[in-house]
Amino acid sequence: MIHLNKIHHIAILCSNYQVSKKFYTEILGLKIIQEIYRKERDSYKLDLAINGQYCIELFSFPNPPKRVSSPEATGLRHLAFEVNDIQETRNYIVSKQLFAEEIRIDEHTNKRFFFMSDPDNLPVEFYEV
């Protein structure tokens, strides 16, 4: 049997690099590890971290196809972040003039959570510990 240690990173392809870079760094607060422009592909690769832990690669490519998201489609369903205070997190998101769903309770864990979307309509979940 294979032995997996942890998820190394998640790769996200965005349609507007500057808008998505701002969302993930300025709104969500992920820290930039490195930013690379790949001239031969006219593409950026932005490595991002949470609390010093590498977690997301944000890519740009010219004219990527739109992602089918709703109704549910095959592929990545959503990206989820753990937070300490779900209400504080939602208030912050709303204060940035971004839409956030109402807070719900996970019927299996009794934990609170809510969803929003990134600039490319990728569902982003915040889940309270």
Side-chain angles (χ1 to χ4, degrees):
M1 177 187 283
I2 190 169
H3 175 77
L4 302 176
N5 292 327
K6 63 180 181 177
I7 294 174
H8 188 266
H9 69 273
I10 297 164
I12 299 172
L13 180 61
C14 64
S15 63
N16 183 314
Y17 180 71
Q18 293 304 325
V19 169
S20 290
K21 178 182 175 181
K22 180 177 180 175
F23 174 78
Y24 283 98
T25 60
E26 295 180 25
I27 301 294
L28 297 186
L30 279 70
K31 301 299 181 204
I32 296 172
I33 298 171
Q34 70 176 343
E35 181 176 36
I36 301 166
Y37 178 70
R38 302 173 307 173
K39 185 177 180 181
E40 71 283 358
R41 299 181 87 180
D42 189 21
S43 169
Y44 281 95
K45 177 181 178 282
L46 185 66
D47 294 334
L48 299 168
I50 297 174
N51 298 322
Q53 182 72 38
Y54 171 63
C55 62
I56 292 178
E57 291 177 340
L58 183 64
F59 287 96
S60 70
F61 290 102
N63 305 309
K66 293 282 184 202
R67 176 186 188 275
V68 177
S69 179
S70 185
E72 297 290 349
T74 301
L76 179 66
R77 186 171 184 197
H78 64 266
L79 176 62
F81 294 101
E82 178 183 291
V83 298
N84 291 328
D85 186 325
I86 200 74
Q87 187 65 59
E88 180 181 294
T89 303
R90 186 178 182 284
N91 291 347
Y92 172 78
I93 295 298
V94 170
S95 79
K96 297 296 184 182
Q97 282 70 56
L98 296 169
F99 174 77
E101 292 181 357
E102 294 298 320
I103 294 171
R104 296 183 272 165
I105 305 288
D106 183 318
E107 63 187 54
H108 302 289
T109 65
N110 289 319
K111 300 288 186 172
R112 299 186 310 161
F113 68 99
F114 73 91
F115 280 90
M116 67 169 304
S117 296
D118 84 347
D120 288 302
N121 207 30
L122 172 67
V124 177
E125 177 183 17
F126 298 91
Y127 199 91
E128 192 172 57
V129 290

